[in-house]
Amino acid sequence: MMRVLLLISTLGCAVAVPPDPPLSIHDRLSASPLRFAITGTGSLDAEHRATGDSWVGGGASITISTGALVASLVGDTLVVDAFGVSLDPVELPAAVFAQPASLTGVRVTLARASSAAPTWTTADEATATLALDLDLAWSITIGGGSTPLGVQHLPTISMDVELTGSGSAIDAALELHGAGELWSWASLVRISDLALDLAGTGSFE
């Protein structure tokens, strides 16, 4: 009888307990905020008024140097609590000032939290579109001289968000669209049609 009990005890100890499955993206976002490290590229249009209603200029490329987004799920609502990107110097088309010029020290940050109801395809896949109120801090450099332009509050810009992955590895695809004029100076220089194509890798705080 003792041998039978020992055998049963030994077999019981040998049975492996399966690990708990990782939490889904939905569950993790509900439990704590998620921070994304952001990279990406984009474009904008920069123009200078020539005469009357005639503008000259063209497109300029954008590269993100650093960026981050913090999001969480509150009930059924996706909340973006923080968003910010810093850009490498943006070289402006030569036609804007008839000499080399660039936007430097460019930093875009979220002025206030934004939220939207996401659509969940699965517990690990979701999409949402948020309206962002953004502040822009920057300087303009012309002919070697740099002038701070001060903080500008941009018109509302939409951001499409796609979350994919698993509870332990989460990726975000972000697309920002700012159509039309975003900023102008004395009706002589204007920036318009901002587009950013961003990717984020998530980690939990």
Side-chain angles (χ1 to χ4, degrees), residues 47-48 92-103 140-142 185 189:
E47 299 172 293
H48 178 267
L92 298 178
V96 176
F97 292 104
Q99 59 179 312
S102 61
L103 304 178
I140 190 165
T141 300
I142 305 174
W185 176 67
V189 178

Side-chain angles (χ1 to χ4, degrees), residues 7 62 86 97 147 194:
L7 180 58
I62 293 172
S86 295
F97 292 104
T147 302
L194 173 68

Side-chain angles (χ1 to χ4, degrees), residues 3 17 26 29 43 47 49 69 75 86 90 132 160 168:
R3 290 181 179 178
V17 178
H26 183 284
L29 277 172
S43 63
E47 299 172 293
R49 185 187 293 274
L69 178 145
S86 295
V90 180
L132 302 185
D160 295 328
S168 57

Side-chain angles (χ1 to χ4, degrees), residues 126-139:
T127 58
T129 299
L130 298 99
L132 302 185
D133 288 327
L134 301 173
D135 288 333
L136 170 67
W138 56 348
S139 298

